[in-house]
Amino acid sequence: MPATIHIMPPELANKIAAGEVVQRPASAVKELIENALDAGARRITVHVKDAGRAFIQVSDDGSGMSAEDAALSIHRHATSKVLRPEDLERIGTFGFRGEALASISAVSQLELRTRTALDDVATVVRVDGDTVREVTKAAAGVGTTVIVKNLFYNTPARRNFLKTRQTELKNIADVVTRAALAHPTIAWLLVSDDETFLDLRPGTSQERVSAILGERVGQSLMPVEERTDYLSIEGFLARPEFARRSRTEQYLTLNRRPIQNKMIAHAIFQGYEHLLINGGFPLFVLDLTIDPARVDVNVHPSKLEVKFEQEGTIYRMVLSVIRKTLAANDLVPRVEFRDGNAVNGEDRFHLVPDIPPAPVFAFRKDPGPTNVVDGGSILPLSMPASRHAPAETVEHRQGAARSIDADARAIWQIQNKYIVSQVRSGLVIVDQHVAHERILYERVLANFENSLPAIQQLLFPQTLELTATDYALVRELEEHLRLLGFDIKLFGKNTVVIEGIPADVKVGNEKKILLDVLEEYKANEHAEVMDARDRLAKSFACKAAIKAGDPLTSNEMTVLIEQLFLTKMPYVCPHGRPVVIRIPIEELDRRFGRT
Ligand code: ADP
Ligand code: MG
């Protein structure tokens, strides 16, 4: 029998390898950029024509190569970056496979022009689908320029497989953008068919993020910085309101290498839990720094995926740093409410939101008055929670702060919709409905967590006939509804009896609120990211909260604000809408021309 196995000729092997490394023009751009970064470039320019299909040129001012290295570099497995097997255990460069130039040149017409500081002239190498056509000398500055023409000209299948010009260009822009975000001290230029896409001067990370994502996003970013021996996390989080419809604007790098990682993305998403509008993806720019020995970057041909040694540790750290940042940062600025009349200068309530989550709620099982004690009040804001026993809790949690005075002078309601108050740093305006929604939402979550419902038993149980669907839904959610505060008996024949309602609900409203909550719950059905409890909590909070148009006494307003700032996230409602707007005094001064 003649032998059927043979060793491939190198051209064929290279073409096959190229299939893995160079899937599209953007992958060639990515590899060439990595080489420029590894060469220590300070300025990297990328020019493409016809979305990279006709022409790609990447130039850098890095170390350059000697004539000898230049000739070698285009061979497969030619690399200056790893020498011994041990080197693979801790990779400190972006490249290491020694495949990029070989792969790209196997499927294009490639020209390399390179010069080191030690040489007077540059070496030019021309390769044409694996054949070195020419090695010459030319005048050029220190650094390297690689030109790739007619990518995939000799692999028609791959060429035909390319997406639209628009898509390929978007991919290229994405590659350069990610690299530019990860390397703010490097100057970048991206030009496509004479149109400049990016022209970035070196700067700080903050400046780079603003230049790329826009001033509006840039100015509202929350910096993240957390260092441990094992892992450092640095970068920026955008406020929840900047959440995107897709993951495309999640910029994650590991040791400054752009990566994709579902585990980390999930930890970040989890950190934003309850803050995002249904289904949104938070926008962030984060770099993780980890000892290269503790991560394997050699698990993916284009090195987009990595494998961590301790996934659980990383997950927990990322999650906690996200939560901490969101709770402590400008999203939840340090707000100090101050009594305008206080003579001793002591804060009436000194609210420091980065105290541990401290919902001060009454977990009462017994029926009791829920309304504010001052006569005319219509709103069941649970005053007892802050007025009686838990006042000490407030005091305890707030350190030197005193509990609230019944008369709150520096507080006004505007159009029965907004609450305006003076704070030390200026003025805050609170949307009363969303503020109450946030309070109720967290209270319900706490009830779920502690299995301690705050139920007020009804003197006169209410019988309610439901549709078959709603009846089934109540049956399905029975346990959750009970934790929420609804004491409901299923009577059969689509009939339920409401024997108790959540402490926050006004007696007399029990039927309506239950129906509203069911309605809202059904309406939220599409939001598959929410679990049943969360959906129920949101639905309840939305329906049970005071509405725009409800007049409030000053006492109610004070308590509302006090309770709001005891929530974990006073600044955004469960649906991601802002709850508080703060106008700093400087802003007022500016507007009145005082500065
Ligand atoms: P790898 O980056 O994995 O080593 P490449 O095929 O991308 O493999 O490059 C091969 C070698 O050529 C590199 O190891 C490096 O020494 C050299 N090289 C490639 N591009 C550049 C560049 N822009 N500047 C300096 N040296 C380069
Ligand atoms: Mg490389």
Side-chain angles (χ1 to χ4, degrees), residues 4 24 56 127 168 208 222 268 283 307 338 390 396 405 417 440 465 477 483 490-491 504:
T4 49
R24 49 171 32 105
I56 298 171
V127 198
E168 296 301 339
R208 179 57 54 88
M222 298 168 277
I268 296 169
L283 177 105
K307 231 178 140 40
R338 196 180 145 76
H396 171 72
D405 288 334
K417 209 188 310 186
L440 293 178
E465 203 179 317
L477 296 174
L483 286 175
L490 294 166
F491 216 71
D504 323 278

Side-chain angles (χ1 to χ4, degrees), residues 31 34-35 38 81 94-96 98-101 303:
E31 292 294 334
E34 288 183 358
N35 283 347
D38 282 337
K81 299 168 193 173
F94 294 107
F96 54 85
E99 279 183 338
L101 291 182
K303 299 162 288 183

